[in-house]
Amino acid sequence: MIQKIEEKEKAIALRKQGKTYTDILRAVPVAKSTLAIWLKEAKLSVPENQKFTEAKRLASLRGGQAKKKQRIKKQQNIILKSKSEIGSLSKRELFLIGAVLYWAEVRKKKNTIRGLRCDLLILTLI
């Protein structure tokens, strides 16, 4: 019991020095939930709180940038793989693909004049 009181006092002292939960957990081996309960009363000063807020914001930005790089790399891999699987397409094939995609979009607005004209266009191409 005395050891826990000493650990609690040490944790509060470290927090008042501006240490993060991670830093404190390295020095005081307790559960994070226990640490949170202990440190409820140990309020940070405004500048220290702002420092932590800024650190969180910067970490979030770094994480977002890393995710963006991963997404771009994944997209590039998909494009390269697709190009190798599909090969080259003629202008006519590209035109037909575009016409069919356009037709599919227009058909979502069922029975419009534009949709019927598009149906006729596709039928004449096929």
Side-chain angles (χ1 to χ4, degrees):
M1 185 77 166
I2 294 173
Q3 183 182 2
K4 290 288 181 187
I5 293 172
E6 289 173 0
E7 288 177 343
K8 180 179 178 180
E9 289 172 357
K10 183 177 180 182
I12 291 171
L14 289 170
R15 187 63 171 174
K16 287 185 178 181
Q17 292 173 14
K19 301 294 183 187
T20 63
Y21 274 38
T22 305
D23 295 335
I24 297 169
L25 287 172
R26 286 187 192 123
V28 182
V30 295
K32 191 173 184 178
S33 58
T34 302
L35 188 63
I37 292 168
W38 288 352
L39 299 180
K40 251 185 207 179
E41 299 120 21
K43 300 289 182 190
L44 293 173
S45 66
V46 173
E48 288 172 338
N49 203 6
Q50 288 174 344
K51 181 180 82 172
F52 287 135
T53 303
E54 180 64 13
K56 285 182 200 175
R57 188 185 71 79
L58 292 174
S60 178
L61 286 174
R62 284 192 305 273
Q65 290 169 347
K67 284 285 188 190
K68 182 179 179 181
K69 285 180 185 178
Q70 289 173 354
R71 180 181 46 80
I72 290 171
K73 186 176 179 180
K74 187 176 179 180
Q75 286 176 337
Q76 289 172 340
N77 289 338
I78 290 170
I79 290 169
L80 289 174
K81 185 178 177 185
S82 299
K83 282 183 179 180
S84 68
E85 288 178 2
I86 294 171
S88 63
L89 296 173
S90 68
K91 286 186 178 184
R92 174 136 177 93
E93 290 170 327
L94 286 173
F95 174 76
L96 290 173
I97 291 168
V100 169
L101 289 172
Y102 179 77
W103 172 75
E105 275 300 308
V106 171
R107 287 307 295 158
K108 289 179 184 177
K109 302 172 185 170
K110 297 177 183 170
N111 297 327
T112 62
I113 298 295
R114 206 165 117 195
L116 295 173
R117 275 195 237 145
C118 194
D119 286 348
L120 292 173
L121 172 66
I122 295 298
L123 289 174
T124 59
L125 292 173
I126 295 176

PDB file of all heavy atoms in Angstrom, residues 24 37 49 52 55 78 83-84 89-90 101 111 115:
ATOM      1  N   ILE A  24       5.530   9.100 -17.981  1.00  0.00           N
ATOM      2  CA  ILE A  24       5.251   8.718 -16.589  1.00  0.00           C
ATOM      3  C   ILE A  24       5.128   7.195 -16.473  1.00  0.00           C
ATOM      4  O   ILE A  24       5.638   6.590 -15.529  1.00  0.00           O
ATOM      5  CB  ILE A  24       3.975   9.413 -16.070  1.00  0.00           C
ATOM      6  CG1 ILE A  24       4.192  10.935 -16.054  1.00  0.00           C
ATOM      7  CG2 ILE A  24       3.614   8.918 -14.676  1.00  0.00           C
ATOM      8  CD1 ILE A  24       2.940  11.744 -15.827  1.00  0.00           C
ATOM      9  N   ILE A  37      -6.632   8.071 -13.150  1.00  0.00           N
ATOM     10  CA  ILE A  37      -7.358   8.369 -11.903  1.00  0.00           C
ATOM     11  C   ILE A  37      -6.465   9.191 -10.971  1.00  0.00           C
ATOM     12  O   ILE A  37      -6.910  10.176 -10.386  1.00  0.00           O
ATOM     13  CB  ILE A  37      -7.823   7.062 -11.223  1.00  0.00           C
ATOM     14  CG1 ILE A  37      -8.905   6.401 -12.069  1.00  0.00           C
ATOM     15  CG2 ILE A  37      -8.325   7.332  -9.811  1.00  0.00           C
ATOM     16  CD1 ILE A  37      -9.233   4.976 -11.659  1.00  0.00           C
ATOM     17  N   ASN A  49      -0.426  22.664 -21.022  1.00  0.00           N
ATOM     18  CA  ASN A  49      -1.559  22.078 -21.719  1.00  0.00           C
ATOM     19  C   ASN A  49      -1.497  22.422 -23.208  1.00  0.00           C
ATOM     20  O   ASN A  49      -1.762  21.582 -24.063  1.00  0.00           O
ATOM     21  CB  ASN A  49      -2.871  22.571 -21.102  1.00  0.00           C
ATOM     22  CG  ASN A  49      -4.015  21.638 -21.362  1.00  0.00           C
ATOM     23  OD1 ASN A  49      -3.828  20.571 -21.915  1.00  0.00           O
ATOM     24  ND2 ASN A  49      -5.198  22.045 -20.975  1.00  0.00           N
ATOM     25  N   PHE A  52       1.052  20.225 -24.994  1.00  0.00           N
ATOM     26  CA  PHE A  52       0.547  18.892 -25.305  1.00  0.00           C
ATOM     27  C   PHE A  52      -0.437  18.935 -26.470  1.00  0.00           C
ATOM     28  O   PHE A  52      -0.435  18.063 -27.333  1.00  0.00           O
ATOM     29  CB  PHE A  52      -0.119  18.251 -24.082  1.00  0.00           C
ATOM     30  CG  PHE A  52       0.852  17.814 -23.026  1.00  0.00           C
ATOM     31  CD1 PHE A  52       0.625  18.081 -21.701  1.00  0.00           C
ATOM     32  CD2 PHE A  52       2.007  17.126 -23.358  1.00  0.00           C
ATOM     33  CE1 PHE A  52       1.518  17.676 -20.715  1.00  0.00           C
ATOM     34  CE2 PHE A  52       2.911  16.720 -22.404  1.00  0.00           C
ATOM     35  CZ  PHE A  52       2.666  17.001 -21.067  1.00  0.00           C
ATOM     36  N   ALA A  55       1.516  19.269 -29.631  1.00  0.00           N
ATOM     37  CA  ALA A  55       2.181  18.002 -29.941  1.00  0.00           C
ATOM     38  C   ALA A  55       1.191  17.011 -30.559  1.00  0.00           C
ATOM     39  O   ALA A  55       1.523  16.314 -31.517  1.00  0.00           O
ATOM     40  CB  ALA A  55       2.813  17.407 -28.683  1.00  0.00           C
ATOM     41  N   ILE A  78      -1.910  -0.164 -58.132  1.00  0.00           N
ATOM     42  CA  ILE A  78      -3.132  -0.630 -58.800  1.00  0.00           C
ATOM     43  C   ILE A  78      -3.126  -0.216 -60.263  1.00  0.00           C
ATOM     44  O   ILE A  78      -3.463  -1.013 -61.155  1.00  0.00           O
ATOM     45  CB  ILE A  78      -4.385  -0.088 -58.079  1.00  0.00           C
ATOM     46  CG1 ILE A  78      -4.539  -0.767 -56.712  1.00  0.00           C
ATOM     47  CG2 ILE A  78      -5.638  -0.290 -58.922  1.00  0.00           C
ATOM     48  CD1 ILE A  78      -5.595  -0.149 -55.820  1.00  0.00           C
ATOM     49  N   LYS A  83      -2.715  -1.611 -65.891  1.00  0.00           N
ATOM     50  CA  LYS A  83      -2.162  -1.371 -67.228  1.00  0.00           C
ATOM     51  C   LYS A  83      -1.555  -2.636 -67.803  1.00  0.00           C
ATOM     52  O   LYS A  83      -1.724  -2.933 -68.988  1.00  0.00           O
ATOM     53  CB  LYS A  83      -1.103  -0.265 -67.184  1.00  0.00           C
ATOM     54  CG  LYS A  83      -1.676   1.121 -67.125  1.00  0.00           C
ATOM     55  CD  LYS A  83      -0.576   2.172 -67.150  1.00  0.00           C
ATOM     56  CE  LYS A  83      -1.159   3.564 -67.127  1.00  0.00           C
ATOM     57  NZ  LYS A  83      -0.123   4.604 -67.155  1.00  0.00           N
ATOM     58  N   SER A  84      -0.865  -3.402 -66.961  1.00  0.00           N
ATOM     59  CA  SER A  84      -0.241  -4.631 -67.466  1.00  0.00           C
ATOM     60  C   SER A  84      -1.289  -5.693 -67.794  1.00  0.00           C
ATOM     61  O   SER A  84      -1.129  -6.462 -68.741  1.00  0.00           O
ATOM     62  CB  SER A  84       0.775  -5.175 -66.469  1.00  0.00           C
ATOM     63  OG  SER A  84       0.130  -5.637 -65.301  1.00  0.00           O
ATOM     64  N   LEU A  89      -5.596  -0.130 -75.472  1.00  0.00           N
ATOM     65  CA  LEU A  89      -6.958  -0.081 -75.992  1.00  0.00           C
ATOM     66  C   LEU A  89      -6.983   0.852 -77.197  1.00  0.00           C
ATOM     67  O   LEU A  89      -6.302   1.880 -77.215  1.00  0.00           O
ATOM     68  CB  LEU A  89      -7.927   0.458 -74.926  1.00  0.00           C
ATOM     69  CG  LEU A  89      -8.093  -0.389 -73.664  1.00  0.00           C
ATOM     70  CD1 LEU A  89      -8.930   0.361 -72.645  1.00  0.00           C
ATOM     71  CD2 LEU A  89      -8.726  -1.714 -73.993  1.00  0.00           C
ATOM     72  N   SER A  90      -7.775   0.492 -78.194  1.00  0.00           N
ATOM     73  CA  SER A  90      -7.909   1.357 -79.360  1.00  0.00           C
ATOM     74  C   SER A  90      -8.796   2.541 -79.007  1.00  0.00           C
ATOM     75  O   SER A  90      -9.490   2.547 -77.988  1.00  0.00           O
ATOM     76  CB  SER A  90      -8.533   0.570 -80.517  1.00  0.00           C
ATOM     77  OG  SER A  90      -9.881   0.259 -80.210  1.00  0.00           O
ATOM     78  N   LEU A 101     -20.367   3.913 -69.960  1.00  0.00           N
ATOM     79  CA  LEU A 101     -20.362   4.529 -68.624  1.00  0.00           C
ATOM     80  C   LEU A 101     -21.330   5.711 -68.576  1.00  0.00           C
ATOM     81  O   LEU A 101     -22.066   5.884 -67.599  1.00  0.00           O
ATOM     82  CB  LEU A 101     -18.953   4.974 -68.240  1.00  0.00           C
ATOM     83  CG  LEU A 101     -17.971   3.848 -67.927  1.00  0.00           C
ATOM     84  CD1 LEU A 101     -16.562   4.402 -67.764  1.00  0.00           C
ATOM     85  CD2 LEU A 101     -18.395   3.083 -66.678  1.00  0.00           C
ATOM     86  N   ASN A 111     -36.240   6.986 -67.688  1.00  0.00           N
ATOM     87  CA  ASN A 111     -37.281   7.495 -68.581  1.00  0.00           C
ATOM     88  C   ASN A 111     -37.239   9.001 -68.826  1.00  0.00           C
ATOM     89  O   ASN A 111     -38.272   9.630 -68.973  1.00  0.00           O
ATOM     90  CB  ASN A 111     -38.672   7.092 -68.069  1.00  0.00           C
ATOM     91  CG  ASN A 111     -38.844   5.581 -68.072  1.00  0.00           C
ATOM     92  OD1 ASN A 111     -38.295   4.896 -68.936  1.00  0.00           O
ATOM     93  ND2 ASN A 111     -39.577   5.068 -67.117  1.00  0.00           N
ATOM     94  N   GLY A 115     -32.185  10.081 -71.327  1.00  0.00           N
ATOM     95  CA  GLY A 115     -31.932   8.654 -71.142  1.00  0.00           C
ATOM     96  C   GLY A 115     -32.353   7.847 -72.344  1.00  0.00           C
ATOM     97  O   GLY A 115     -31.654   6.931 -72.779  1.00  0.00           O
TER      98      GLY A 115
END
